[in-house]
Amino acid sequence: SASNPCYHDTVTKLHIPIIKMQPGTTFSRALVGLLLLLSAEQCTSLLKPVITGDQESTLHLPVSNQQQDVQEHPLVRIPLDKQYVPVTRNNRTIMYKTVYFGNMYVGLPIPQKFTVVFDTGSGHFIVPSKNCKQPACANHNRYDRHLSESAVDLDHFGNVVPHDSERDQVAISYGTGEVVGEFSREVSCMSSHMGENASVALASHTDCVELRIIQATEMTEDPFAHFEFDGVLGLGLEALALEPEFSFYGQLARTNKRLAPLFGVFIARDDRFSSEITFGGHDPQRVASDLHWVPVTKAEHGHWQLAVRRIIIGNQTLKICETGECTAIADTGTSLLGIPKASLQDIHWLLAREVDDEEAIRKNHVDCRTIPGPNITFVLGDGVELTIGPEMYSRPAGLRVITNSPGEEQLLCRAALLPVEVLPMLGPKAFILGEPVLRKYYTAYDWKLQRIGFAPAVQLLSPSEGKAAHRVIGAPPAEVPAPTVVYTE
């Protein structure tokens, strides 16, 4: 695990379990095997060294659980860019992965800018090194150790070592790739403080922190070469990090008392508007109600993990949670809703529906996000209910199933779900609250009290209000692709 790595000679091997996306969707029990084969390619929970793995929001909240935050500290706002990456099969795009990232600055007195994924599902700050010569690094900003006067080179125990000495390294496995890197203690800031030395910046600015970072000297082409962002800033709880000093928000909470130990995440539903992350508190303009809090369970494992009382799909309560073992992980680095692998087939069955719109069938075109379907409701540990509908969990394109005998056809809509493998630390009933949930609900992460606050997210009223400096990369065509066609006997 991340908290108990296995070292070999001068190479630190970090064995971290991962989520892998396996194909899987169904409509009818007779079609289960076929549809599982026709679902998405691996949509790995983006860059996660952690788990082996526009309707109004519906939020039922207990009045006794009112938010008691006092926004007396300044907020640091970072707008997030968005990238779509196509998932193809047989030279045809069947869906898109999405990822959100913003700017961070490493080193002083010459800050080096990096775009990073702010990932609540991992525990380390990783940036490409100038010493990395692989193609996956060449396309990104790379950290130049020689430009930084604030860097201190370390071995894996945290001891200071000469910069030109043989270095210990860590190998981190992700869903579809691996990073190998070296250790340094560095100053990282959320904005540029050009010309300042480390002591001045740390004393003068609320957005700077000193922590251990990993300089990636090797990065596999898949998946890193396909994404625009440079690195990953882990915002998981401290237990996900090799040592406490690797934890970005842990270090921030310990050393920077002027910034409240809380951060908030807003994911825009419309690409015209900017998503954002705020440090030092939540953005009150982004929530439609008070935040209502749910305590983290099993914090010793490092995940923003919540107890789940029950899960309801349509009018059916899932039996999987009857014994009280279900949990849900809030994960800003996952673009899909994660489902325990053993329950994936049954949940696909409950969420799939047949299209009976004759015009859509005749035109062979349907946007499944607009086709009515059952809601999914998560009833969390303190009675908070989070509900998402088919507009959030559906694959846009339909599936046309043609039965050769007797020549019948069906046009189906399916969910986009991420299978979650079983991990001893998480148990067999761990769900992931990825982007479908985060688009509907603003989330605030209280580091000190180890809890997550939820409120319906407020979208901006007009495009003119969304002109924050953000980019949308690789946006798909407005028109949904024609349904995939499959034939059965």
Side-chain angles (χ1 to χ4, degrees), residues 410-456:
Q410 286 180 306
L411 183 58
L412 312 177
C413 285
R414 306 159 293 162
L417 303 176
L418 177 75
V420 180
E421 301 284 352
V422 176
L423 257 190
M425 73 175 81
L426 300 179
K429 301 179 180 181
F431 293 76
I432 296 179
L433 306 180
E435 185 180 335
V437 175
L438 301 182
R439 283 202 309 268
K440 292 202 71 173
Y441 297 101
Y442 188 99
T443 48
Y445 302 79
D446 188 328
W447 187 270
K448 182 178 180 181
L449 299 181
Q450 296 190 339
R451 57 182 186 166
I452 303 176
F454 295 89

Side-chain angles (χ1 to χ4, degrees), residues 107-425:
L108 290 168
I110 302 175
Q112 301 176 55
K113 185 173 79 170
F114 297 92
T115 54
V116 300
V117 174
F118 295 94
D119 182 14
T120 57
S122 61
H124 302 90
F125 190 2
I126 301 174
V127 294
S129 169
K130 191 175 181 180
N131 293 330
C132 179
K133 307 301 182 183
Q134 295 173 326
C137 294
N139 296 328
H140 296 288
N141 294 320
R142 291 178 291 170
Y143 174 77
D144 188 342
R145 169 65 179 82
H146 297 288
L147 292 179
S148 178
E149 296 178 7
S150 55
V152 178
D153 299 297
L154 305 173
D155 63 15
H156 61 259
F157 294 113
N159 301 315
V160 178
V161 297
H163 174 59
D164 56 357
S165 64
E166 185 176 357
R167 303 290 301 280
D168 291 341
Q169 292 187 322
V170 60
I172 301 180
S173 295
Y174 290 91
T176 54
E178 185 177 84
V179 167
V180 175
E182 301 170 343
F183 307 101
S184 292
R185 183 180 295 118
E186 253 294 14
V187 174
S188 178
C189 300
M190 303 171 209
S191 58
S192 176
H193 300 295
M194 178 66 72
E196 297 185 14
N197 63 40
S199 59
V200 169
L202 291 170
S204 305
H205 303 294
T206 61
D207 67 338
C208 292
V209 64
E210 188 176 48
L211 77 161
R212 294 193 213 176
I213 69 168
I214 296 173
Q215 309 167 37
T217 55
E218 298 177 26
M219 300 177 76
T220 54
E221 183 171 355
D222 185 17
F224 299 100
H226 305 300
F227 293 107
E228 290 285 324
F229 64 83
D230 303 313
V232 180
L233 195 159
L235 293 173
L237 296 173
E238 208 159 75
L240 273 186
L242 280 165
E243 298 290 344
E245 200 178 5
F246 283 98
S247 172
F248 177 85
Y249 224 84
Q251 284 293 96
L252 204 61
R254 277 187 291 273
T255 63
N256 190 337
K257 302 304 181 183
R258 294 164 297 167
L259 200 66
L262 188 148
F263 62 93
V265 176
F266 168 77
I267 301 298
R269 298 187 204 174
D270 190 316
D271 287 349
R272 295 173 297 171
F273 308 125
S274 176
S275 302
E276 72 171 21
I277 185 169
T278 59
F279 292 96
H282 78 280
D283 185 346
Q285 296 180 343
R286 298 288 193 183
V287 295
S289 73
D290 289 336
L291 286 169
H292 294 261
W293 299 92
V294 183
V296 169
T297 185
K298 302 178 183 178
E300 67 275 12
H301 297 317
H303 300 289
W304 291 97
Q305 187 173 5
L306 309 171
V308 177
R309 291 183 181 179
R310 60 187 177 276
I311 298 173
I312 305 165
I313 296 181
N315 58 4
Q316 181 171 333
T317 299
L318 300 188
K319 293 182 179 180
I320 182 178
C321 298
E322 287 180 347
T323 58
E325 299 170 308
C326 286
T327 61
I329 299 167
D331 193 339
T332 57
T334 297
S335 58
L336 300 176
L337 185 67
I339 304 294
K341 190 174 181 180
S343 300
L344 186 71
Q345 180 174 305
D346 289 337
I347 292 176
H348 267 305
W349 162 259
L350 293 173
L351 295 176
R353 62 266 188 212
E354 185 173 3
V355 178
D356 57 9
D357 184 329
E358 292 185 4
E359 183 177 0
I361 295 172
R362 180 175 58 81
K363 292 183 176 180
N364 195 35
H365 182 274
V366 62
D367 185 344
C368 284
R369 294 168 297 187
T370 67
I371 301 299
N375 289 334
I376 308 172
T377 298
F378 292 86
V379 183
L380 303 180
D382 273 18
V384 175
E385 296 186 10
L386 305 177
T387 298
I388 61 171
E391 74 281 3
M392 293 297 181
Y393 65 69
S394 294
R395 296 186 188 193
L399 177 70
R400 182 180 292 277
V401 179
I402 301 174
T403 305
N404 290 331
S405 178
E408 296 178 348
E409 294 188 19
Q410 286 180 306
L411 183 58
L412 312 177
C413 285
R414 306 159 293 162
L417 303 176
L418 177 75
V420 180
E421 301 284 352
V422 176
L423 257 190
M425 73 175 81

Side-chain angles (χ1 to χ4, degrees), residues 91-106:
N91 297 318
R92 183 175 183 270
T93 297
I94 57 173
M95 64 181 297
Y96 288 83
K97 307 175 188 178
T98 53
V99 63
Y100 298 83
F101 47 91
N103 294 333
M104 288 292 294
Y105 297 82
V106 178

